[in-house]
Amino acid sequence: MQSSEIYLESLITATPQEGRDLAIKLSRKSIAAIQTNPDVRKKLRADYAEDTAQLIASAQVIALEFQTIARANNYWKP
Amino acid sequence: MQSSEIYLESLITATPQEGRDLAIKLSRKSIAAIQTNPDVRKKLRADYAEDTAQLIASAQVIALEFQTIARANNYWKP
Amino acid sequence: MQSSEIYLESLITATPQEGRDLAIKLSRKSIAAIQTNPDVRKKLRADYAEDTAQLIASAQVIALEFQTIARANNYWKP
Amino acid sequence: MQSSEIYLESLITATPQEGRDLAIKLSRKSIAAIQTNPDVRKKLRADYAEDTAQLIASAQVIALEFQTIARANNYWKP
Amino acid sequence: MQSSEIYLESLITATPQEGRDLAIKLSRKSIAAIQTNPDVRKKLRADYAEDTAQLIASAQVIALEFQTIARANNYWKP
Amino acid sequence: MQSSEIYLESLITATPQEGRDLAIKLSRKSIAAIQTNPDVRKKLRADYAEDTAQLIASAQVIALEFQTIARANNYWKP
């Protein structure tokens, strides 16, 4: 399953905040890799945007992706 | 999805307790990144604040974020 | 969300058993950080204390927190 | 359970994007290792492709596999 | 919550198999730390012993605990 | 709970593919350590083999076990 779209050039970000943003982006791209139809994804948003259990589960994905990104950036230590 | 708000300047905290607080903050910011409407988030609190399964799942997110923060701070070893 | 209570002074414990106890304590403090009302938490105990799915999910949180604590203590190697 | 098919020759990839693709592939191969019938898997797709809770859980698997791959590739640092 | 029982003296085991056994033991001790009544725990066994979702979730706990133990033992490398 | 059966002699495998197979084997052995009756396990297969949520949860266990194995093998780097 070769993704046609190149959405990840590097794990290195300038700041921790950009690392968070990248973690959120990677989480979303995983969903898009499984459900490739953007219209379906848009329709599905209502299913989780107000479902706290799914919002919490999404936060787990972001925390896991951020672990990887933070480590790649040596925790943005000076 | 570039977050307009800069909520994470650094992973470095003075104490382990501040590391816990940051982990809780990052967990919440992940939810806010997905459900951006603060009024909706406020309304949703009742859905999880007394749901032990969701409280436990939230504790998993905090544990994962804290893993990253603790590591960034070299476990606050002197 | 600055926690008023300082419950984590250090991740360093004298023994692995104390590390387990600390992991259990941190897991509980995460729940308390989200559901701050002790009376509500007490009432909610019945919801998970005999629910094996939630007991297992709680064990996951303890395992994650223990990973962090064990690492902070270099696995209590002599 | 020796897999007849060799689908993983190496964890090393040329780019982070290929690392993501490999993480997605490994996640799928795990499902195939448990449910070995491709026709059943095809039929089951409808059960999760529009179920946001399962899409999010799948994103957790990808995040875990990507952690391993990113580390194997030293985060594709030059 | 100081556990009265000392069930973890060391993370070091002679073999990987003993590491697995210790991971399973720690997973169970976590459940016992939350549901302290052995009779209740015995009664609850029927709730998960034939529930595959809970058996899988238990395997996740064992995998997390084993990660910690394996690392403590430097993967039992000679 | 000392397992009578020695199923894990070493975490070291010759190839990444063997590492995947070992991760799948360890995941299954965890289930068997909790539900020790092989006939019951056989009967239960129908409960998860076509349940995508449980197939995904199983893939999470495999991903966690593979993390440990990959690290033990230094990611099979030459």
Side-chain angles (χ1 to χ4, degrees):
Chain A
M1 190 244 81
Q2 213 59 26
S3 62
S4 53
E5 179 208 355
I6 305 297
Y7 58 82
L8 180 60
E9 304 270 0
S10 166
L11 292 174
I12 306 309
T13 70
T15 67
Q17 182 69 55
E18 286 181 28
R20 288 304 288 188
D21 297 340
L22 180 57
I24 293 164
K25 175 181 171 183
L26 292 185
S27 305
R28 289 192 166 130
K29 291 294 183 185
S30 287
I31 307 280
I34 305 161
Q35 175 48 267
T36 54
N37 182 326
D39 297 331
V40 171
R41 291 200 304 272
K42 212 170 183 182
K43 184 197 79 181
L44 292 178
R45 185 174 156 78
D47 292 1
Y48 66 85
E50 300 201 14
D51 177 323
T52 46
Q54 294 191 52
L55 289 171
I56 294 164
S58 304
Q60 278 183 14
V61 182
I62 293 169
L64 285 168
E65 298 283 13
F66 185 65
Q67 274 194 350
T68 306
I69 294 161
R71 204 158 179 173
N73 287 274
N74 193 29
Y75 304 100
W76 299 279
K77 290 179 193 173
Chain B
M1 191 242 82
Q2 211 60 27
S3 61
S4 54
E5 180 209 355
I6 304 296
Y7 58 82
L8 180 59
E9 304 270 1
S10 166
L11 292 174
I12 306 309
T13 69
T15 66
Q17 182 69 53
E18 286 181 28
R20 288 303 290 187
D21 297 340
L22 180 57
I24 293 164
K25 175 182 171 183
L26 293 185
S27 305
R28 288 191 166 130
K29 291 294 182 185
S30 287
I31 307 278
I34 304 161
Q35 175 49 266
T36 53
N37 183 325
D39 298 330
V40 172
R41 290 200 304 273
K42 213 170 182 182
K43 182 197 79 179
L44 291 177
R45 186 172 155 79
D47 293 0
Y48 67 85
E50 300 201 15
D51 177 322
T52 46
Q54 294 191 53
L55 289 171
I56 294 165
S58 304
Q60 278 183 14
V61 182
I62 292 169
L64 285 168
E65 298 283 15
F66 186 65
Q67 274 193 350
T68 305
I69 294 162
R71 204 153 180 178
N73 287 274
N74 193 29
Y75 305 99
W76 299 279
K77 290 178 191 171
Chain C
M1 191 241 79
Q2 210 60 25
S3 61
S4 52
E5 181 209 355
I6 304 296
Y7 58 82
L8 180 60
E9 304 269 1
S10 166
L11 291 174
I12 306 310
T13 69
T15 67
Q17 183 68 54
E18 285 181 28
R20 289 301 291 187
D21 297 341
L22 181 56
I24 293 164
K25 175 182 172 182
L26 293 186
S27 305
R28 288 193 166 128
K29 289 295 182 185
S30 287
I31 306 279
I34 304 161
Q35 174 48 267
T36 53
N37 183 325
D39 298 331
V40 171
R41 291 201 304 273
K42 214 170 180 184
K43 184 197 78 177
L44 291 178
R45 186 173 155 77
D47 293 0
Y48 66 85
E50 299 201 16
D51 177 322
T52 46
Q54 294 190 53
L55 290 171
I56 293 165
S58 304
Q60 278 183 14
V61 181
I62 293 169
L64 285 168
E65 298 283 14
F66 186 66
Q67 275 193 348
T68 305
I69 294 162
R71 205 158 176 170
N73 287 275
N74 193 29
Y75 306 99
W76 299 279
K77 290 178 192 171
Chain D
M1 190 244 80
Q2 213 58 27
S3 61
S4 53
E5 179 209 355
I6 304 297
Y7 58 82
L8 180 60
E9 303 271 359
S10 166
L11 291 174
I12 306 310
T13 69
T15 67
Q17 181 69 53
E18 286 181 27
R20 288 302 290 188
D21 298 339
L22 180 57
I24 294 164
K25 175 182 171 181
L26 292 185
S27 306
R28 289 190 165 130
K29 291 294 183 185
S30 288
I31 307 280
I34 305 161
Q35 175 47 267
T36 53
N37 183 325
D39 297 332
V40 171
R41 291 200 304 272
K42 212 170 183 183
K43 184 198 78 180
L44 291 177
R45 184 173 158 79
D47 293 0
Y48 67 86
E50 299 202 15
D51 177 323
T52 45
Q54 294 190 52
L55 289 171
I56 293 165
S58 304
Q60 278 183 15
V61 181
I62 292 169
L64 286 168
E65 297 283 13
F66 185 66
Q67 275 194 349
T68 307
I69 294 161
R71 204 159 179 170
N73 287 274
N74 193 28
Y75 306 99
W76 299 279
K77 290 179 193 173
Chain E
M1 191 243 78
Q2 212 59 26
S3 60
S4 52
E5 179 208 354
I6 305 296
Y7 58 83
L8 179 61
E9 305 270 0
S10 166
L11 292 174
I12 305 310
T13 69
T15 66
Q17 182 69 53
E18 285 181 28
R20 288 302 290 189
D21 297 339
L22 180 57
I24 293 164
K25 176 182 171 182
L26 293 186
S27 306
R28 288 191 166 130
K29 290 295 182 185
S30 287
I31 307 278
I34 304 162
Q35 175 47 267
T36 54
N37 183 326
D39 298 330
V40 172
R41 291 202 303 274
K42 213 170 181 184
K43 184 197 78 181
L44 291 177
R45 186 173 156 78
D47 293 1
Y48 66 86
E50 299 201 15
D51 178 321
T52 46
Q54 294 190 52
L55 290 171
I56 293 166
S58 304
Q60 277 184 14
V61 182
I62 293 169
L64 285 168
E65 299 283 13
F66 185 65
Q67 273 193 350
T68 306
I69 294 162
R71 204 159 176 169
N73 287 274
N74 193 29
Y75 307 99
W76 298 279
K77 289 179 193 172
Chain F
M1 189 244 82
Q2 211 59 26
S3 60
S4 53
E5 180 208 356
I6 304 298
Y7 58 82
L8 180 60
E9 304 269 0
S10 166
L11 291 174
I12 306 310
T13 69
T15 67
Q17 181 69 54
E18 285 181 29
R20 289 302 291 188
D21 297 339
L22 180 57
I24 294 163
K25 175 182 170 182
L26 292 185
S27 306
R28 288 191 165 128
K29 290 295 182 184
S30 287
I31 307 279
I34 304 161
Q35 175 47 267
T36 54
N37 183 326
D39 297 332
V40 171
R41 291 201 304 273
K42 213 170 179 182
K43 183 197 78 180
L44 291 178
R45 185 173 156 79
D47 292 2
Y48 65 86
E50 299 201 16
D51 178 322
T52 46
Q54 294 191 51
L55 290 171
I56 293 165
S58 304
Q60 277 184 15
V61 181
I62 293 168
L64 285 169
E65 298 283 14
F66 186 65
Q67 274 193 350
T68 305
I69 294 161
R71 203 156 178 173
N73 287 275
N74 194 29
Y75 306 99
W76 298 279
K77 290 180 193 171

